[in-house]
Amino acid sequence: MTLQHPADRGGAGRGRFERLAESVSTLTSSPAFFVFCLALVAFTVAVHIAGIATEWLLLAGGSMTAVTLLLLALLKNSELRAERAIQRKLDAIAAALLEAQEGEPGKAHENLRKVIRMEDEI
């Protein structure tokens, strides 16, 4: 396990966690997941209103907590990846502009082309 930022891990391909996070992000933005969350909230409310046994209350509360924590971790991961991708693009644009002012397009222009399609890697 590494504590590096996802964009700093490098490598040609993405790791298992990055692929999993992207897949889960796609799932959680779907209407099916929204319906699942509505059903979970409805279940929790129904259990409280019906006054069912404590075990069911604990199950409902625990389920809500687990989904909330997983979504929070996913949101933070997506936020960090997007933030780093934007920063790297801005850095590449600035370097390319500086090179263009000097009149010699070179390595910064190549890096700019590479960074523009960086979302595919992160």
Side-chain angles (χ1 to χ4, degrees), residues 2 5-26 74 77-78 81-82 85 88 117-122:
T2 179
H5 188 281
D8 292 336
R9 292 184 192 142
R14 297 178 306 168
R16 287 185 303 189
F17 179 75
E18 287 82 12
R19 289 191 305 271
L20 175 68
E22 187 169 334
S23 298
V24 172
S25 180
T26 302
L74 178 67
N77 178 273
S78 296
R81 287 186 295 130
R88 288 179 65 185
R117 294 305 312 158
M118 187 172 51
E119 311 81 45
D120 297 337
E121 298 173 12
I122 293 181

Side-chain angles (χ1 to χ4, degrees), residues 3-91:
L3 296 178
Q4 290 179 321
H5 188 281
D8 292 336
R9 292 184 192 142
R14 297 178 306 168
R16 287 185 303 189
F17 179 75
E18 287 82 12
R19 289 191 305 271
L20 175 68
E22 187 169 334
S23 298
V24 172
S25 180
T26 302
L27 172 72
T28 57
S29 63
S30 71
F33 186 75
F34 181 74
V35 169
F36 168 75
C37 288
L38 282 178
L40 187 58
V41 169
F43 171 69
T44 303
V45 170
V47 165
H48 281 282
I49 290 174
I52 298 177
T54 306
E55 293 83 17
W56 286 101
L57 291 172
L58 290 173
L59 175 66
S63 299
M64 294 280 286
T65 302
V67 168
T68 302
L69 288 175
L70 290 173
L71 288 175
L72 179 65
L74 178 67
L75 178 65
K76 188 61 178 173
N77 178 273
S78 296
E79 176 188 330
L80 288 174
R81 287 186 295 130
E83 175 187 319
R84 188 56 59 102
I86 289 170
Q87 188 59 51
R88 288 179 65 185
K89 287 178 183 180
L90 288 173
D91 290 346

